Amino acid sequence: MLERLQRRLGLQTIPGIFFTSAGIAILFVALAIPFDEQVAGAFGVLTGWVARNLGWFYILSVSSLLIFLFGLAVSRYGSIRLGSDDSRPDYSNLTWFTMLFAAGIGTILMFWGVAEPVSHFASPPFDGVKAGTEQAASDAMTISLYHFGLHTWTIFAMPGLAIGYFAYRHDLPMRISSLFYPILGERIYGPLGWTVDVIAVLGTLFGVATSLGLGTLQLNSGLNYLFGVPTSGLVQVLLIAVIASIAATSVALGLDKGVRRLSQLNIVLALLLILFVAAVGPTVFIAEGMVQSIGDYLDALPWLAFWTETFKETDWQRQWTLFYWAWTISWAPYVGIFIARISRGRTIREFVAGVLFAPTAFTLVWFGVFGLSAIDVESGGLVDLATQVENDPSVAIFAFLEAFPLAEVASALSVVIIVIFFTTSSDSASLVIDMLTRREDQPSLVRQRIFWAAAQGVVAASLLLAGGLDALQNVITSLGLPFCLLLLFMAVSLFRALRADYRGYDVTELVQGRVFPEVEATPTQVKQESDYVS
């Protein structure tokens, strides 16, 4: 039936993945719009249950994956390449690093670069720390780096490493299901593999929709500051429609003409904004603070990585750490595939070191410039940032820029950066989702990519109408759990494949825990997928 529907619509997909993912997304929107309060309440209850009973699982999982990646890098497997033994990287180190820190972090840094440090500075989460003190400032920077540093990039690096390994070294399709070949064998081409890919598609869809929703809140605040545009649900839905339209146009143009040019432009604009704040802000304070923040972060990381608020009855960790981990996990398929595509030929050791430390260094600079400057502004009483952030974190960066010369120009530049960041996130995610829902021998149709770009906008609008920021946090915290489980199984599958690889076996010889010396079937045979589809 799905095969006939696909032919009638003129699509090029794996029907079991495409129609299941699209159907669940459509069902969510159909329920969220007329029953917004009930949907918001249901996800609120679900998120509360996850936070109370499985918050420790998120914390333990991400920290364990970080240790796992470090272990791989320093182990005997660290010299294995993402490709054949004689392959070499496609990009120079400088180009690779530039592309890495441009992948997937601009959206969240623009929203939280000022809001998070100021929030923790004004309301410290640790007992015995008074607001506005030196210790509160130090803790605020440490927590921010914890949320956006090594742990965030562990979540991205895990699928990126696994995808690159299985795709380039063993010629498996660049889909999440391929990572489970050592566990599922040829069943990755059937319903079990499709289930894994559906989870990846939905995670990407809702993760990017959450970012689009947050970006819309921030964009609405910027336009209100610059032009007096009212802050309302109607305006936010219209903004989503505009951004989705731009993203659809970009995704129709393709990777080189659309995504690449917008990404290059936005990197330049973001660097200009950083240099502007660093130059007109407290430059020496920023430099000193960044150096100290490195030490504070490394000192606190071992215990902070396993901190679960066991002896406190608060909602802080759900609102911050669990939300971040779930949000980042939902982005993992999208960013992981992007990182894998630019990392062919690198050793596992090079990959882990580069993906974990290069973007973390950029994050340190970003929070050093914006976070430390915001703390300085708040401490000096130039702008009451804490109150504004508490009321609406989306206004943080615009309220912050009021303390500097050329505030309106800088705010206008921020609005442009926000629009492009979310446009590039949306169109890149549309390309990745389309890749996850079709075979490698099938062409990427423009209408399929446009459908996914539009779906992101519609889901984002539904989430905003269902409760704004709280709804975004609740939905993503709940939906991040299935892919968190996939990440753990991914690590097990990768380790099994690496162990067989090191002993001289091919991954096609590793099925259900046994190694077969002779296997005729090649995992890239498209016929296998065609047979399942038929």
Side-chain angles (χ1 to χ4, degrees):
M1 181 178 70
L2 294 180
E3 182 72 14
R4 291 197 299 271
L5 179 60
Q6 173 172 267
R7 286 197 297 267
R8 180 172 297 180
L9 295 175
L11 302 177
Q12 294 286 340
T13 69
I14 301 173
I17 300 175
F18 180 89
F19 288 111
T20 302
S21 303
I24 293 174
I26 292 171
L27 178 62
F28 174 83
V29 172
L31 293 175
I33 292 178
F35 305 107
D36 53 346
E37 293 183 1
Q38 292 86 341
V39 169
F43 275 102
V45 172
L46 181 57
T47 300
W49 184 89
V50 169
R52 286 191 304 273
N53 297 283
L54 294 175
W56 62 270
F57 179 73
Y58 273 113
I59 302 296
L60 180 62
S61 297
V62 179
S63 295
S64 298
L65 290 173
L66 175 59
I67 295 171
F68 172 75
L69 290 175
F70 275 132
L72 284 185
V74 301
S75 73
R76 60 187 181 182
Y77 307 124
S79 59
I80 295 177
R81 291 191 177 273
L82 305 183
S84 60
D85 290 333
D86 59 352
S87 62
R88 291 298 179 268
D90 294 336
Y91 301 97
S92 68
N93 286 337
L94 180 60
T95 301
W96 186 55
F97 290 157
T98 302
M99 297 172 77
L100 281 176
F101 70 67
I105 61 173
T107 51
I108 54 180
L109 292 183
M110 282 297 294
F111 193 94
W112 296 111
V114 171
E116 173 153 9
V118 168
S119 179
H120 302 326
F121 179 62
S123 301
F126 302 134
D127 291 334
V129 179
K130 294 183 179 180
T133 62
E134 179 182 348
Q135 186 62 48
S138 175
D139 290 344
M141 291 298 298
T142 298
I143 294 170
S144 298
L145 293 178
Y146 166 56
H147 285 154
F148 294 100
L150 293 175
H151 279 70
T152 284
W153 285 94
T154 291
I155 296 169
F156 293 152
M158 186 67 249
L161 176 61
I163 291 167
Y165 173 79
F166 285 108
Y168 297 135
R169 194 164 181 88
H170 298 290
D171 297 321
L172 285 160
M174 194 169 277
R175 293 205 302 272
I176 301 300
S177 57
S178 297
L179 313 186
F180 297 89
Y181 187 85
I183 297 175
L184 299 178
E186 303 301 324
R187 287 176 294 175
I188 66 168
Y189 301 112
L192 282 176
W194 298 345
T195 300
V196 172
D197 288 324
V198 166
I199 293 173
V201 168
L202 292 175
T204 301
L205 178 63
F206 279 87
V208 174
T210 297
S211 297
L212 184 58
L214 290 175
T216 301
L217 293 174
Q218 191 175 36
L219 184 58
N220 195 177
S221 297
L223 294 176
N224 176 266
Y225 168 78
L226 289 171
F227 307 111
V229 175
T231 302
S232 67
L234 176 60
V235 172
Q236 290 160 9
V237 170
L238 292 175
L239 288 174
I240 288 176
V242 171
I243 294 175
S245 299
I246 298 173
T249 302
S250 176
V251 81
L253 292 174
L255 185 62
D256 288 333
K257 292 183 180 179
V259 179
R260 179 176 61 85
R261 292 178 181 175
L262 282 175
S263 298
Q264 290 173 343
L265 172 62
N266 220 33
I267 289 173
V268 173
L269 295 179
L271 290 176
L272 285 176
L273 185 61
I274 289 176
L275 291 174
F276 169 76
V277 174
V280 302
T283 308
V284 175
F285 176 73
I286 290 171
E288 292 177 342
M290 281 195 289
V291 173
Q292 180 171 314
S293 294
I294 295 174
D296 291 341
Y297 171 56
L298 295 177
D299 178 61
L301 187 60
W303 70 265
L304 196 57
F306 297 96
W307 178 55
T308 59
E309 281 196 309
T310 303
F311 305 108
K312 293 183 66 176
E313 295 283 339
T314 73
D315 202 35
W316 184 90
Q317 200 159 54
R318 181 191 69 80
Q319 292 181 332
W320 293 97
T321 308
L322 298 186
F323 168 60
Y324 283 143
W325 287 180
W327 187 12
T328 308
I329 286 169
S330 70
W331 275 64
Y334 153 50
V335 180
I337 288 177
F338 173 82
I339 294 174
R341 288 175 68 90
I342 64 174
S343 301
R344 175 162 41 190
R346 296 197 175 272
T347 65
I348 289 176
R349 188 170 294 116
E350 290 174 333
F351 180 94
V352 172
V355 174
L356 290 185
F357 289 104
T360 298
F362 180 77
T363 300
L364 173 68
V365 172
W366 188 280
F367 275 101
V369 172
F370 288 96
L372 289 168
S373 297
I375 289 174
D376 183 70
V377 168
E378 173 68 17
S379 299
L382 299 176
V383 178
D384 187 6
L385 282 179
T387 300
Q388 298 197 49
V389 168
E390 183 180 0
N391 293 332
D392 184 4
S394 66
V395 307
I397 191 167
F398 305 107
F400 161 71
L401 291 173
E402 290 180 4
F404 300 100
L406 303 174
E408 291 189 358
V409 175
S411 295
L413 178 61
S414 298
V415 168
V416 173
I417 293 172
I418 292 166
V419 171
I420 301 179
F421 263 139
F422 288 102
T423 299
T424 54
S425 296
S426 178
D427 55 21
S428 299
S430 300
L431 292 169
V432 169
I433 293 175
D434 181 56
M435 183 188 305
L436 291 171
T437 57
R438 62 179 172 83
R439 299 196 310 265
E440 291 188 322
D441 68 317
Q442 293 176 317
S444 177
L445 301 182
V446 172
R447 57 179 172 273
Q448 291 173 192
R449 302 198 301 269
I450 291 177
F451 168 78
W452 291 117
Q456 294 161 29
V458 174
V459 171
S462 302
L463 291 173
L464 285 178
L465 294 175
L469 181 58
D470 287 340
L472 295 171
Q473 290 180 321
N474 289 338
V475 169
I476 210 63
T477 302
S478 304
L479 297 182
L481 185 61
F483 201 79
C484 185
L485 293 170
L486 290 186
L487 285 177
L488 296 177
F489 282 108
M490 198 180 296
V492 174
S493 181
L494 177 62
F495 182 75
R496 294 181 65 186
L498 288 173
R499 187 170 56 179
D501 191 344
Y502 189 81
R503 295 175 179 175
Y505 294 103
D506 187 82
V507 71
T508 57
E509 300 170 310
L510 182 65
V511 180
Q512 297 301 319
R514 294 183 295 164
V515 174
F516 297 91
E518 294 182 2
V519 176
E520 296 181 358
T522 303
T524 53
Q525 289 178 328
V526 178
K527 180 177 180 298
Q528 293 171 320
E529 296 189 354
S530 301
D531 291 342
Y532 272 110
V533 170
S534 299

